[in-house]
Amino acid sequence: IIGGLATSMAARVLSTPLIVYYFGTLSRVAPISTLLVLGAVAALFLLTPLYLLTLAVWAPLASLVGALMWVPATWMWGCIKLLGSIPFASLALGEFYAALWLCGSGALALMWMTSRQKRRLLLPVVGACVVMLAATYTLSLLDRDRAALTVTAVDVGQGQAILAQSNGQTLLIDCGSLNADAAARTLSSLGLQKTARLDAVLLTHGDADHTNGLVEVAQTIDIGQVLVPVGDPAASEVAGQTGDEVLTVDSNRQLSLGEAQVYVFAPVGAGNRNDAGLAVLLTCKGFSLLITGDMSTAIERVLAGLYDLPHLSVLMVGHHGSKHSTGDYLLTECQPEAALISVGRNSFGHPGSETLQRLRDCGADIYRTDELGNLTIRVA
Protein backbone atom coordinates (compact mmCIF):
# COMPACT_ATOMS: atom_id res chain seq x y z
CA ILE A 1 0.00 0.00 0.00
CA ILE A 2 2.79 2.40 0.93
CA GLY A 3 4.67 1.62 -2.28
CA GLY A 4 1.59 2.11 -4.43
CA LEU A 5 0.66 5.32 -2.64
CA ALA A 6 4.20 6.67 -3.00
CA THR A 7 4.18 5.92 -6.73
CA SER A 8 0.80 7.62 -7.13
CA MET A 9 1.91 10.67 -5.18
CA ALA A 10 5.10 10.92 -7.26
CA ALA A 11 3.00 10.81 -10.44
CA ARG A 12 0.73 13.44 -8.93
CA VAL A 13 3.64 15.77 -8.22
CA LEU A 14 4.88 15.48 -11.79
CA SER A 15 1.44 15.84 -13.39
CA THR A 16 0.24 18.76 -11.24
CA PRO A 17 1.96 21.47 -13.33
CA LEU A 18 0.38 20.10 -16.51
CA ILE A 19 -3.07 19.88 -14.90
CA VAL A 20 -2.85 23.41 -13.53
CA TYR A 21 -1.54 24.81 -16.82
CA TYR A 22 -4.08 23.15 -19.12
CA PHE A 23 -7.16 23.00 -16.88
CA GLY A 24 -6.54 25.79 -14.35
CA THR A 25 -7.48 23.55 -11.42
CA LEU A 26 -5.62 22.15 -8.44
CA SER A 27 -7.26 19.26 -6.60
CA ARG A 28 -7.13 19.30 -2.82
CA VAL A 29 -8.62 15.82 -2.42
CA ALA A 30 -6.32 13.93 -4.80
CA PRO A 31 -4.21 12.31 -2.02
CA ILE A 32 -7.36 11.11 -0.26
CA SER A 33 -8.91 9.78 -3.46
CA THR A 34 -5.67 7.97 -4.33
CA LEU A 35 -5.68 6.22 -0.97
CA LEU A 36 -9.35 5.26 -1.25
CA VAL A 37 -9.22 3.82 -4.77
CA LEU A 38 -5.77 2.25 -4.73
CA GLY A 39 -7.09 -1.22 -3.91
CA ALA A 40 -9.86 -0.92 -6.49
CA VAL A 41 -7.37 0.02 -9.20
CA ALA A 42 -5.19 -2.98 -8.34
CA ALA A 43 -8.21 -5.29 -8.42
CA LEU A 44 -9.29 -4.00 -11.83
CA PHE A 45 -5.79 -4.43 -13.25
CA LEU A 46 -5.74 -8.05 -12.06
CA LEU A 47 -9.30 -8.90 -13.13
CA THR A 48 -9.17 -7.34 -16.61
CA PRO A 49 -6.82 -9.93 -18.21
CA LEU A 50 -8.75 -12.68 -16.40
CA TYR A 51 -11.97 -11.35 -17.90
CA LEU A 52 -10.52 -11.30 -21.41
CA LEU A 53 -9.16 -14.84 -21.01
CA THR A 54 -12.44 -16.28 -19.74
CA LEU A 55 -14.34 -14.39 -22.43
CA ALA A 56 -12.31 -16.24 -25.06
CA VAL A 57 -12.93 -19.59 -23.34
CA TRP A 58 -16.48 -19.47 -21.94
CA ALA A 59 -18.72 -16.39 -21.95
CA PRO A 60 -20.84 -17.29 -18.86
CA LEU A 61 -17.70 -17.47 -16.74
CA ALA A 62 -16.59 -14.11 -18.16
CA SER A 63 -19.92 -12.65 -17.01
CA LEU A 64 -19.10 -13.78 -13.47
CA VAL A 65 -15.68 -12.12 -13.63
CA GLY A 66 -17.34 -9.02 -15.04
CA ALA A 67 -19.68 -8.97 -12.06
CA LEU A 68 -16.65 -9.08 -9.76
CA MET A 69 -15.11 -6.17 -11.67
CA TRP A 70 -18.30 -4.18 -11.15
CA VAL A 71 -17.64 -3.98 -7.40
CA PRO A 72 -14.29 -2.09 -7.49
CA ALA A 73 -15.42 -0.04 -10.49
CA THR A 74 -18.55 1.07 -8.61
CA TRP A 75 -16.46 1.87 -5.55
CA MET A 76 -14.09 4.02 -7.64
CA TRP A 77 -16.92 5.94 -9.30
CA GLY A 78 -18.65 6.47 -5.95
CA CYS A 79 -15.46 7.87 -4.41
CA ILE A 80 -14.95 10.18 -7.37
CA LYS A 81 -18.50 11.56 -7.18
CA LEU A 82 -18.42 11.94 -3.40
CA LEU A 83 -15.05 13.68 -3.22
CA GLY A 84 -15.83 15.80 -6.29
CA SER A 85 -19.00 17.09 -4.63
CA ILE A 86 -17.14 18.45 -1.60
CA PRO A 87 -17.11 22.27 -1.66
CA PHE A 88 -13.73 23.59 -2.81
CA ALA A 89 -12.50 20.08 -3.61
CA SER A 90 -10.45 21.82 -6.27
CA LEU A 91 -9.15 25.33 -6.61
CA ALA A 92 -9.77 27.13 -9.90
CA LEU A 93 -7.10 29.57 -11.03
CA GLY A 94 -7.34 31.96 -13.95
CA GLU A 95 -4.83 31.31 -16.72
CA PHE A 96 -2.53 34.17 -15.68
CA TYR A 97 -2.66 33.28 -11.99
CA ALA A 98 -2.13 29.58 -12.69
CA ALA A 99 1.02 30.45 -14.64
CA LEU A 100 2.12 32.85 -11.89
CA TRP A 101 1.75 30.21 -9.18
CA LEU A 102 3.50 27.56 -11.26
CA CYS A 103 6.47 29.85 -11.91
CA GLY A 104 6.77 30.83 -8.26
CA SER A 105 6.39 27.35 -6.81
CA GLY A 106 8.64 25.89 -9.52
CA ALA A 107 11.39 28.36 -8.66
CA LEU A 108 11.12 27.46 -4.96
CA ALA A 109 11.15 23.74 -5.74
CA LEU A 110 14.25 24.16 -7.88
CA MET A 111 15.93 26.14 -5.12
CA TRP A 112 15.10 23.40 -2.61
CA MET A 113 16.34 20.59 -4.88
CA THR A 114 19.69 22.30 -5.43
CA SER A 115 20.13 23.24 -1.77
CA ARG A 116 22.39 21.33 0.63
CA GLN A 117 19.95 21.96 3.49
CA LYS A 118 16.91 20.17 2.11
CA ARG A 119 15.57 19.02 5.47
CA ARG A 120 15.72 22.49 7.05
CA LEU A 121 14.18 24.23 4.03
CA LEU A 122 11.40 21.72 3.31
CA LEU A 123 8.73 23.21 5.56
CA PRO A 124 9.46 26.87 4.62
CA VAL A 125 9.34 26.02 0.90
CA VAL A 126 6.06 24.09 1.25
CA GLY A 127 4.61 26.88 3.38
CA ALA A 128 5.63 29.52 0.82
CA CYS A 129 4.02 27.50 -1.99
CA VAL A 130 0.77 27.25 0.00
CA VAL A 131 0.79 31.00 0.76
CA MET A 132 1.38 31.82 -2.92
CA LEU A 133 -1.45 29.45 -3.88
CA ALA A 134 -3.84 31.17 -1.48
CA ALA A 135 -2.81 34.59 -2.78
CA THR A 136 -3.16 33.72 -6.46
CA TYR A 137 -6.48 31.96 -5.85
CA THR A 138 -7.83 35.04 -4.05
CA LEU A 139 -6.62 37.33 -6.82
CA SER A 140 -8.19 35.02 -9.42
CA LEU A 141 -11.55 35.21 -7.62
CA LEU A 142 -11.35 39.00 -7.34
CA ASP A 143 -10.42 39.28 -11.02
CA ARG A 144 -13.40 37.15 -12.03
CA ASP A 145 -15.83 39.05 -9.80
CA ARG A 146 -14.70 42.42 -11.18
CA ALA A 147 -15.73 41.51 -14.73
CA ALA A 148 -18.99 43.02 -15.94
CA LEU A 149 -19.23 40.24 -18.53
CA THR A 150 -17.30 37.01 -19.04
CA VAL A 151 -17.65 35.03 -22.26
CA THR A 152 -16.00 31.63 -22.73
CA ALA A 153 -15.86 29.67 -25.96
CA VAL A 154 -15.48 26.19 -24.47
CA ASP A 155 -13.05 23.88 -26.25
CA VAL A 156 -15.52 21.15 -27.22
CA GLY A 157 -13.60 19.97 -30.26
CA GLN A 158 -15.56 20.03 -33.50
CA GLY A 159 -18.63 21.77 -32.13
CA GLN A 160 -19.72 24.82 -30.19
CA ALA A 161 -20.55 25.78 -26.62
CA ILE A 162 -20.39 29.39 -25.45
CA LEU A 163 -20.87 30.55 -21.85
CA ALA A 164 -21.78 34.16 -21.06
CA GLN A 165 -21.90 35.37 -17.44
CA SER A 166 -22.68 38.69 -15.84
CA ASN A 167 -23.59 39.58 -12.24
CA GLY A 168 -24.27 35.96 -11.30
CA GLN A 169 -26.44 35.21 -14.33
CA THR A 170 -25.34 32.66 -16.92
CA LEU A 171 -26.38 31.98 -20.52
CA LEU A 172 -25.25 28.93 -22.49
CA ILE A 173 -25.33 29.21 -26.28
CA ASP A 174 -25.20 25.75 -27.90
CA CYS A 175 -23.60 22.65 -26.41
CA GLY A 176 -22.46 19.95 -28.80
CA SER A 177 -19.51 18.25 -30.45
CA LEU A 178 -18.75 15.60 -33.06
CA ASN A 179 -15.53 14.33 -31.48
CA ALA A 180 -15.47 15.29 -27.80
CA ASP A 181 -17.63 15.15 -24.69
CA ALA A 182 -19.29 18.56 -24.94
CA ALA A 183 -21.29 18.06 -21.74
CA ALA A 184 -18.26 17.17 -19.61
CA ARG A 185 -16.19 20.05 -20.96
CA THR A 186 -19.03 22.53 -20.50
CA LEU A 187 -19.74 21.32 -16.97
CA SER A 188 -16.03 21.54 -16.18
CA SER A 189 -15.99 25.18 -17.33
CA LEU A 190 -19.10 25.89 -15.25
CA GLY A 191 -17.46 24.26 -12.25
CA LEU A 192 -14.34 26.40 -12.62
CA GLN A 193 -16.55 29.48 -12.63
CA LYS A 194 -18.51 28.23 -9.59
CA THR A 195 -21.78 28.35 -11.52
CA ALA A 196 -24.64 26.30 -10.05
CA ARG A 197 -27.40 27.29 -12.49
CA LEU A 198 -27.99 28.24 -16.10
CA ASP A 199 -30.55 31.01 -16.32
CA ALA A 200 -31.11 30.28 -20.01
CA VAL A 201 -29.85 28.09 -22.84
CA LEU A 202 -30.07 29.13 -26.47
CA LEU A 203 -29.69 26.70 -29.37
CA THR A 204 -28.79 28.42 -32.63
CA HIS A 205 -29.99 25.34 -34.55
CA GLY A 206 -30.51 21.62 -34.09
CA ASP A 207 -27.35 20.04 -35.55
CA ALA A 208 -25.71 17.49 -33.26
CA ASP A 209 -22.44 19.43 -33.01
CA HIS A 210 -24.42 22.24 -31.37
CA THR A 211 -26.88 20.24 -29.24
CA ASN A 212 -25.80 16.69 -28.34
CA GLY A 213 -24.36 17.61 -24.92
CA LEU A 214 -27.30 19.63 -23.64
CA VAL A 215 -29.40 16.82 -22.17
CA GLU A 216 -26.52 15.58 -20.01
CA VAL A 217 -25.84 19.13 -18.84
CA ALA A 218 -29.52 19.49 -17.92
CA GLN A 219 -29.30 16.32 -15.83
CA THR A 220 -26.51 17.86 -13.76
CA ILE A 221 -27.37 21.55 -13.44
CA ASP A 222 -30.63 23.53 -13.20
CA ILE A 223 -31.75 25.38 -16.33
CA GLY A 224 -34.27 28.20 -16.38
CA GLN A 225 -35.44 28.02 -19.99
CA VAL A 226 -34.31 26.84 -23.41
CA LEU A 227 -34.74 29.00 -26.52
CA VAL A 228 -34.90 27.31 -29.94
CA PRO A 229 -35.52 28.60 -33.48
CA VAL A 230 -39.01 28.24 -34.90
CA GLY A 231 -39.39 25.44 -37.43
CA ASP A 232 -36.45 23.36 -36.17
CA PRO A 233 -37.80 19.99 -34.94
CA ALA A 234 -34.33 18.68 -34.05
CA ALA A 235 -33.60 21.61 -31.72
CA SER A 236 -37.09 21.38 -30.20
CA GLU A 237 -36.67 17.65 -29.57
CA VAL A 238 -33.39 18.11 -27.73
CA ALA A 239 -34.78 21.02 -25.72
CA GLY A 240 -37.85 18.95 -24.80
CA GLN A 241 -35.64 16.18 -23.39
CA THR A 242 -34.16 18.57 -20.82
CA GLY A 243 -37.49 18.81 -18.99
CA ASP A 244 -37.17 22.58 -18.81
CA GLU A 245 -39.31 25.38 -20.22
CA VAL A 246 -38.91 25.62 -23.99
CA LEU A 247 -39.47 28.90 -25.84
CA THR A 248 -39.73 28.92 -29.63
CA VAL A 249 -38.21 32.07 -31.12
CA ASP A 250 -40.26 33.30 -34.07
CA SER A 251 -39.55 37.02 -33.56
CA ASN A 252 -36.65 39.04 -32.22
CA ARG A 253 -36.11 38.97 -28.46
CA GLN A 254 -34.03 41.00 -26.05
CA LEU A 255 -32.78 39.42 -22.82
CA SER A 256 -30.99 40.98 -19.87
CA LEU A 257 -27.96 39.15 -18.54
CA GLY A 258 -26.70 41.09 -15.54
CA GLU A 259 -25.01 44.19 -16.97
CA ALA A 260 -25.13 42.77 -20.51
CA GLN A 261 -27.85 42.80 -23.14
CA VAL A 262 -28.56 39.80 -25.35
CA TYR A 263 -30.28 40.39 -28.69
CA VAL A 264 -31.69 37.21 -30.25
CA PHE A 265 -32.43 37.56 -33.96
CA ALA A 266 -35.22 35.33 -35.26
CA PRO A 267 -34.40 33.20 -38.33
CA VAL A 268 -33.89 35.29 -41.46
CA GLY A 269 -33.27 32.34 -43.78
CA ALA A 270 -35.09 29.19 -44.78
CA GLY A 271 -34.37 25.74 -46.11
CA ASN A 272 -31.67 23.89 -44.16
CA ARG A 273 -31.17 24.20 -40.41
CA ASN A 274 -27.96 26.18 -40.78
CA ASP A 275 -29.62 29.04 -42.65
CA ALA A 276 -32.81 28.93 -40.57
CA GLY A 277 -30.98 29.28 -37.25
CA LEU A 278 -30.77 32.03 -34.67
CA ALA A 279 -28.13 34.75 -34.44
CA VAL A 280 -27.12 36.36 -31.14
CA LEU A 281 -25.57 39.74 -30.33
CA LEU A 282 -24.15 40.35 -26.84
CA THR A 283 -23.31 43.89 -25.76
CA CYS A 284 -21.86 45.28 -22.54
CA LYS A 285 -20.09 48.58 -21.83
CA GLY A 286 -19.10 49.15 -25.44
CA PHE A 287 -18.17 45.51 -26.01
CA SER A 288 -20.04 43.56 -28.69
CA LEU A 289 -19.97 39.91 -29.74
CA LEU A 290 -21.92 38.40 -32.65
CA ILE A 291 -22.71 34.67 -32.93
CA THR A 292 -24.20 33.45 -36.21
CA GLY A 293 -24.27 29.68 -35.67
CA ASP A 294 -23.72 27.91 -38.99
CA MET A 295 -25.21 30.56 -41.29
CA SER A 296 -23.98 30.71 -44.87
CA THR A 297 -22.57 33.90 -46.37
CA ALA A 298 -25.86 34.54 -48.24
CA ILE A 299 -27.89 34.55 -45.00
CA GLU A 300 -25.23 36.62 -43.23
CA ARG A 301 -25.79 39.23 -45.93
CA VAL A 302 -29.53 39.17 -45.25
CA LEU A 303 -28.93 39.51 -41.48
CA ALA A 304 -26.51 42.43 -41.90
CA GLY A 305 -28.90 44.10 -44.36
CA LEU A 306 -31.93 43.85 -42.08
CA TYR A 307 -30.28 45.05 -38.88
CA ASP A 308 -27.89 47.84 -38.03
CA LEU A 309 -25.15 45.64 -36.59
CA PRO A 310 -22.40 47.48 -34.69
CA HIS A 311 -18.70 47.32 -35.36
CA LEU A 312 -17.80 44.21 -33.40
CA SER A 313 -15.27 43.71 -30.66
CA VAL A 314 -15.44 39.97 -31.35
CA LEU A 315 -17.01 37.77 -34.01
CA MET A 316 -17.73 34.10 -33.31
CA VAL A 317 -16.73 32.76 -36.71
CA GLY A 318 -19.63 30.96 -38.39
CA HIS A 319 -19.79 27.23 -39.00
CA HIS A 320 -16.44 26.51 -37.30
CA GLY A 321 -14.57 28.46 -39.96
CA SER A 322 -16.23 26.89 -43.00
CA LYS A 323 -15.35 28.59 -46.29
CA HIS A 324 -19.10 28.96 -46.89
CA SER A 325 -19.55 31.26 -43.87
CA THR A 326 -18.05 34.52 -42.55
CA GLY A 327 -18.23 36.30 -45.89
CA ASP A 328 -16.76 39.59 -46.99
CA TYR A 329 -20.08 41.45 -46.70
CA LEU A 330 -20.50 40.64 -42.99
CA LEU A 331 -16.86 41.40 -42.26
CA THR A 332 -17.05 44.74 -44.07
CA GLU A 333 -20.22 45.72 -42.23
CA CYS A 334 -19.06 44.65 -38.76
CA GLN A 335 -15.26 45.06 -38.94
CA PRO A 336 -14.51 42.71 -36.01
CA GLU A 337 -11.38 43.39 -33.99
CA ALA A 338 -11.02 39.71 -33.04
CA ALA A 339 -12.41 36.42 -34.32
CA LEU A 340 -12.95 33.23 -32.28
CA ILE A 341 -13.13 29.87 -34.05
CA SER A 342 -14.63 26.89 -32.21
CA VAL A 343 -13.16 23.93 -34.08
CA GLY A 344 -11.56 20.54 -33.52
CA ARG A 345 -10.16 17.67 -35.54
CA ASN A 346 -12.43 17.19 -38.56
CA SER A 347 -12.65 16.02 -42.15
CA PHE A 348 -14.54 19.09 -43.40
CA GLY A 349 -11.52 21.30 -43.91
CA HIS A 350 -12.49 23.65 -41.06
CA PRO A 351 -11.32 26.29 -40.73
CA GLY A 352 -11.08 26.98 -44.45
CA SER A 353 -8.02 28.79 -45.75
CA GLU A 354 -10.36 31.19 -47.59
CA THR A 355 -12.07 32.12 -44.31
CA LEU A 356 -8.78 32.65 -42.50
CA GLN A 357 -7.58 34.91 -45.31
CA ARG A 358 -10.78 36.96 -45.23
CA LEU A 359 -10.33 37.45 -41.49
CA ARG A 360 -6.72 38.52 -41.94
CA ASP A 361 -7.69 40.91 -44.71
CA CYS A 362 -10.20 42.67 -42.45
CA GLY A 363 -7.58 43.00 -39.71
CA ALA A 364 -9.16 40.65 -37.16
CA ASP A 365 -6.97 38.80 -34.66
CA ILE A 366 -7.72 35.07 -34.88
CA TYR A 367 -8.05 32.74 -31.88
CA ARG A 368 -8.86 29.01 -32.23
CA THR A 369 -10.00 26.52 -29.59
CA ASP A 370 -8.08 23.68 -31.26
CA GLU A 371 -4.85 25.63 -30.74
CA LEU A 372 -5.52 27.49 -27.47
CA GLY A 373 -8.21 25.52 -25.62
CA ASN A 374 -10.93 27.51 -23.86
CA LEU A 375 -11.08 31.12 -25.06
CA THR A 376 -12.22 33.53 -22.34
CA ILE A 377 -13.05 37.22 -22.69
CA ARG A 378 -13.55 39.47 -19.66
CA VAL A 379 -15.18 42.88 -19.98
CA ALA A 380 -14.29 45.17 -17.06
Side-chain angles (χ1 to χ4, degrees):
I1 291 175
I2 292 173
L5 186 59
T7 301
S8 299
M9 290 301 295
R12 177 70 189 178
V13 168
L14 292 173
S15 62
T16 291
L18 294 174
I19 294 170
V20 172
Y21 179 78
Y22 283 105
F23 301 101
T25 59
L26 180 66
S27 174
R28 298 199 295 180
V29 298
I32 301 173
S33 63
T34 299
L35 186 61
L36 289 176
V37 306
L38 193 59
V41 171
L44 287 171
F45 268 104
L46 291 172
L47 288 172
T48 298
L50 179 61
Y51 172 79
L52 294 174
L53 179 63
T54 54
L55 184 64
V57 176
W58 191 37
L61 182 58
S63 299
L64 178 60
V65 178
L68 292 175
M69 294 177 66
W70 178 85
V71 176
T74 303
W75 170 259
M76 282 186 62
W77 181 236
C79 291
I80 291 168
K81 293 186 69 175
L82 176 62
L83 294 173
S85 65
I86 297 174
F88 300 104
S90 64
L91 297 180
L93 300 173
E95 292 84 354
F96 170 76
Y97 296 107
L100 185 64
W101 181 76
L102 283 174
C103 290
S105 58
L108 287 173
L110 182 62
M111 180 191 72
W112 176 79
M113 286 188 291
T114 57
S115 171
R116 294 181 179 180
Q117 300 178 327
K118 291 185 175 62
R119 182 171 296 181
R120 187 172 67 87
L121 291 176
L122 179 59
L123 286 180
V125 166
V126 171
C129 289
V130 171
V131 170
M132 285 194 301
L133 178 61
T136 52
Y137 177 64
T138 302
L139 290 171
S140 184
L141 289 177
L142 292 173
D143 188 41
R144 188 192 71 214
D145 292 340
R146 280 198 301 267
L149 172 67
T150 301
V151 179
T152 300
V154 182
D155 177 18
V156 291
Q158 183 65 14
Q160 180 167 285
I162 303 166
L163 288 167
Q165 296 178 299
S166 179
N167 285 7
Q169 295 184 310
T170 306
L171 168 68
L172 172 63
I173 302 171
D174 290 339
C175 183
S177 175
L178 295 182
N179 60 359
D181 191 335
R185 296 190 180 193
T186 302
L187 289 169
S188 175
S189 297
L190 287 167
L192 292 178
Q193 296 165 7
K194 305 300 178 187
T195 301
R197 169 184 167 82
L198 290 171
D199 295 276
V201 173
L202 187 147
L203 299 178
T204 58
H205 62 294
D207 284 355
D209 59 339
H210 290 250
T211 64
N212 63 12
L214 179 58
V215 175
E216 186 177 342
V217 168
Q219 293 170 348
T220 307
I221 192 169
D222 290 335
I223 296 176
Q225 59 185 14
V226 184
L227 288 75
V228 299
V230 64
D232 191 333
S236 297
E237 181 181 357
V238 172
Q241 293 175 17
T242 66
D244 300 296
E245 179 187 5
V246 179
L247 297 178
T248 301
V249 179
D250 55 3
S251 59
N252 295 345
R253 290 175 177 266
Q254 181 176 344
L255 311 174
S256 292
L257 184 74
E259 296 183 52
Q261 294 298 313
V262 182
Y263 301 91
V264 183
F265 300 109
V268 296
N272 60 56
R273 283 198 293 261
N274 291 348
D275 285 345
L278 302 176
V280 185
L281 177 66
L282 280 79
T283 62
C284 180
K285 293 187 173 182
F287 170 85
S288 56
L289 165 68
L290 179 65
I291 301 166
T292 59
D294 285 355
M295 283 183 183
S296 65
T297 55
I299 305 305
E300 291 172 354
R301 178 182 287 267
V302 174
L303 179 73
L306 282 173
Y307 304 109
D308 184 19
L309 299 176
H311 287 178
L312 297 173
S313 306
V314 178
L315 172 66
M316 194 73 203
V317 175
H319 207 167
H320 322 289
S322 166
K323 65 181 181 180
H324 302 296
S325 297
T326 316
D328 287 323
Y329 187 87
L330 180 68
L331 294 175
T332 301
E333 289 294 311
C334 296
Q335 300 180 18
E337 297 175 27
L340 309 186
I341 306 178
S342 181
V343 66
R345 178 178 49 82
N346 66 88
S347 59
F348 309 115
H350 298 165
S353 57
E354 302 93 333
T355 302
L356 295 175
Q357 189 58 52
R358 288 196 292 266
L359 291 169
R360 295 189 195 101
D361 290 344
C362 81
D365 296 323
I366 302 171
Y367 303 91
R368 299 167 47 168
T369 58
D370 62 335
E371 295 179 343
L372 301 170
N374 283 10
L375 303 173
T376 299
I377 302 165
R378 290 186 176 88
V379 180

PDB file of all heavy atoms in Angstrom, residues 80-93:
ATOM      1  N   ILE A  80     -15.166   9.008  -6.521  1.00  0.00           N
ATOM      2  CA  ILE A  80     -14.953  10.181  -7.371  1.00  0.00           C
ATOM      3  C   ILE A  80     -16.108  11.170  -7.217  1.00  0.00           C
ATOM      4  O   ILE A  80     -15.906  12.377  -7.051  1.00  0.00           O
ATOM      5  CB  ILE A  80     -14.799   9.743  -8.835  1.00  0.00           C
ATOM      6  CG1 ILE A  80     -13.487   8.977  -9.027  1.00  0.00           C
ATOM      7  CG2 ILE A  80     -14.844  10.947  -9.773  1.00  0.00           C
ATOM      8  CD1 ILE A  80     -13.375   8.265 -10.355  1.00  0.00           C
ATOM      9  N   LYS A  81     -17.338  10.672  -7.289  1.00  0.00           N
ATOM     10  CA  LYS A  81     -18.504  11.557  -7.180  1.00  0.00           C
ATOM     11  C   LYS A  81     -18.585  12.196  -5.801  1.00  0.00           C
ATOM     12  O   LYS A  81     -18.897  13.383  -5.674  1.00  0.00           O
ATOM     13  CB  LYS A  81     -19.781  10.775  -7.487  1.00  0.00           C
ATOM     14  CG  LYS A  81     -19.910  10.311  -8.931  1.00  0.00           C
ATOM     15  CD  LYS A  81     -21.258   9.674  -9.205  1.00  0.00           C
ATOM     16  CE  LYS A  81     -22.373  10.697  -9.160  1.00  0.00           C
ATOM     17  NZ  LYS A  81     -23.670  10.106  -9.541  1.00  0.00           N
ATOM     18  N   LEU A  82     -18.317  11.404  -4.757  1.00  0.00           N
ATOM     19  CA  LEU A  82     -18.418  11.936  -3.398  1.00  0.00           C
ATOM     20  C   LEU A  82     -17.372  13.011  -3.145  1.00  0.00           C
ATOM     21  O   LEU A  82     -17.689  14.114  -2.686  1.00  0.00           O
ATOM     22  CB  LEU A  82     -18.247  10.800  -2.390  1.00  0.00           C
ATOM     23  CG  LEU A  82     -18.237  11.220  -0.907  1.00  0.00           C
ATOM     24  CD1 LEU A  82     -19.575  11.852  -0.531  1.00  0.00           C
ATOM     25  CD2 LEU A  82     -17.922  10.021  -0.016  1.00  0.00           C
ATOM     26  N   LEU A  83     -16.123  12.713  -3.469  1.00  0.00           N
ATOM     27  CA  LEU A  83     -15.054  13.681  -3.223  1.00  0.00           C
ATOM     28  C   LEU A  83     -15.185  14.901  -4.129  1.00  0.00           C
ATOM     29  O   LEU A  83     -14.882  16.024  -3.722  1.00  0.00           O
ATOM     30  CB  LEU A  83     -13.696  13.021  -3.411  1.00  0.00           C
ATOM     31  CG  LEU A  83     -13.352  11.932  -2.393  1.00  0.00           C
ATOM     32  CD1 LEU A  83     -12.055  11.234  -2.773  1.00  0.00           C
ATOM     33  CD2 LEU A  83     -13.249  12.508  -0.994  1.00  0.00           C
ATOM     34  N   GLY A  84     -15.656  14.674  -5.369  1.00  0.00           N
ATOM     35  CA  GLY A  84     -15.829  15.797  -6.285  1.00  0.00           C
ATOM     36  C   GLY A  84     -16.932  16.740  -5.884  1.00  0.00           C
ATOM     37  O   GLY A  84     -16.957  17.903  -6.288  1.00  0.00           O
ATOM     38  N   SER A  85     -17.880  16.242  -5.065  1.00  0.00           N
ATOM     39  CA  SER A  85     -19.001  17.085  -4.632  1.00  0.00           C
ATOM     40  C   SER A  85     -18.671  17.930  -3.406  1.00  0.00           C
ATOM     41  O   SER A  85     -19.450  18.786  -3.009  1.00  0.00           O
ATOM     42  CB  SER A  85     -20.227  16.214  -4.328  1.00  0.00           C
ATOM     43  OG  SER A  85     -19.973  15.358  -3.215  1.00  0.00           O
ATOM     44  N   ILE A  86     -17.530  17.675  -2.779  1.00  0.00           N
ATOM     45  CA  ILE A  86     -17.140  18.447  -1.598  1.00  0.00           C
ATOM     46  C   ILE A  86     -16.844  19.890  -2.012  1.00  0.00           C
ATOM     47  O   ILE A  86     -16.127  20.126  -2.993  1.00  0.00           O
ATOM     48  CB  ILE A  86     -15.887  17.825  -0.933  1.00  0.00           C
ATOM     49  CG1 ILE A  86     -16.203  16.421  -0.426  1.00  0.00           C
ATOM     50  CG2 ILE A  86     -15.385  18.703   0.209  1.00  0.00           C
ATOM     51  CD1 ILE A  86     -14.989  15.695   0.106  1.00  0.00           C
ATOM     52  N   PRO A  87     -17.407  20.868  -1.313  1.00  0.00           N
ATOM     53  CA  PRO A  87     -17.111  22.269  -1.659  1.00  0.00           C
ATOM     54  C   PRO A  87     -15.609  22.541  -1.638  1.00  0.00           C
ATOM     55  O   PRO A  87     -14.900  22.103  -0.735  1.00  0.00           O
ATOM     56  CB  PRO A  87     -17.842  23.060  -0.560  1.00  0.00           C
ATOM     57  CG  PRO A  87     -18.934  22.145  -0.091  1.00  0.00           C
ATOM     58  CD  PRO A  87     -18.363  20.757  -0.202  1.00  0.00           C
ATOM     59  N   PHE A  88     -15.140  23.226  -2.669  1.00  0.00           N
ATOM     60  CA  PHE A  88     -13.732  23.590  -2.809  1.00  0.00           C
ATOM     61  C   PHE A  88     -12.821  22.360  -2.841  1.00  0.00           C
ATOM     62  O   PHE A  88     -11.696  22.391  -2.343  1.00  0.00           O
ATOM     63  CB  PHE A  88     -13.294  24.544  -1.689  1.00  0.00           C
ATOM     64  CG  PHE A  88     -14.062  25.819  -1.653  1.00  0.00           C
ATOM     65  CD1 PHE A  88     -15.051  26.032  -0.696  1.00  0.00           C
ATOM     66  CD2 PHE A  88     -13.818  26.803  -2.592  1.00  0.00           C
ATOM     67  CE1 PHE A  88     -15.777  27.200  -0.682  1.00  0.00           C
ATOM     68  CE2 PHE A  88     -14.537  27.988  -2.576  1.00  0.00           C
ATOM     69  CZ  PHE A  88     -15.524  28.186  -1.619  1.00  0.00           C
ATOM     70  N   ALA A  89     -13.347  21.262  -3.423  1.00  0.00           N
ATOM     71  CA  ALA A  89     -12.504  20.076  -3.613  1.00  0.00           C
ATOM     72  C   ALA A  89     -11.339  20.405  -4.529  1.00  0.00           C
ATOM     73  O   ALA A  89     -10.275  19.794  -4.442  1.00  0.00           O
ATOM     74  CB  ALA A  89     -13.331  18.932  -4.193  1.00  0.00           C
ATOM     75  N   SER A  90     -11.541  21.361  -5.414  1.00  0.00           N
ATOM     76  CA  SER A  90     -10.452  21.822  -6.273  1.00  0.00           C
ATOM     77  C   SER A  90     -10.461  23.341  -6.304  1.00  0.00           C
ATOM     78  O   SER A  90     -11.502  23.967  -6.132  1.00  0.00           O
ATOM     79  CB  SER A  90     -10.611  21.259  -7.695  1.00  0.00           C
ATOM     80  OG  SER A  90     -11.797  21.752  -8.285  1.00  0.00           O
ATOM     81  N   LEU A  91      -9.300  23.885  -6.502  1.00  0.00           N
ATOM     82  CA  LEU A  91      -9.152  25.329  -6.608  1.00  0.00           C
ATOM     83  C   LEU A  91      -9.025  25.697  -8.079  1.00  0.00           C
ATOM     84  O   LEU A  91      -8.250  25.083  -8.815  1.00  0.00           O
ATOM     85  CB  LEU A  91      -7.911  25.803  -5.856  1.00  0.00           C
ATOM     86  CG  LEU A  91      -7.893  25.579  -4.343  1.00  0.00           C
ATOM     87  CD1 LEU A  91      -6.599  26.103  -3.752  1.00  0.00           C
ATOM     88  CD2 LEU A  91      -9.083  26.262  -3.678  1.00  0.00           C
ATOM     89  N   ALA A  92      -9.800  26.681  -8.511  1.00  0.00           N
ATOM     90  CA  ALA A  92      -9.766  27.131  -9.901  1.00  0.00           C
ATOM     91  C   ALA A  92      -8.954  28.424  -9.986  1.00  0.00           C
ATOM     92  O   ALA A  92      -9.253  29.400  -9.306  1.00  0.00           O
ATOM     93  CB  ALA A  92     -11.186  27.372 -10.402  1.00  0.00           C
ATOM     94  N   LEU A  93      -7.938  28.395 -10.824  1.00  0.00           N
ATOM     95  CA  LEU A  93      -7.102  29.566 -11.030  1.00  0.00           C
ATOM     96  C   LEU A  93      -7.276  30.071 -12.453  1.00  0.00           C
ATOM     97  O   LEU A  93      -7.363  29.276 -13.386  1.00  0.00           O
ATOM     98  CB  LEU A  93      -5.633  29.219 -10.811  1.00  0.00           C
ATOM     99  CG  LEU A  93      -5.231  28.684  -9.430  1.00  0.00           C
ATOM    100  CD1 LEU A  93      -3.780  28.240  -9.463  1.00  0.00           C
ATOM    101  CD2 LEU A  93      -5.432  29.738  -8.356  1.00  0.00           C
TER     102      LEU A  93
END
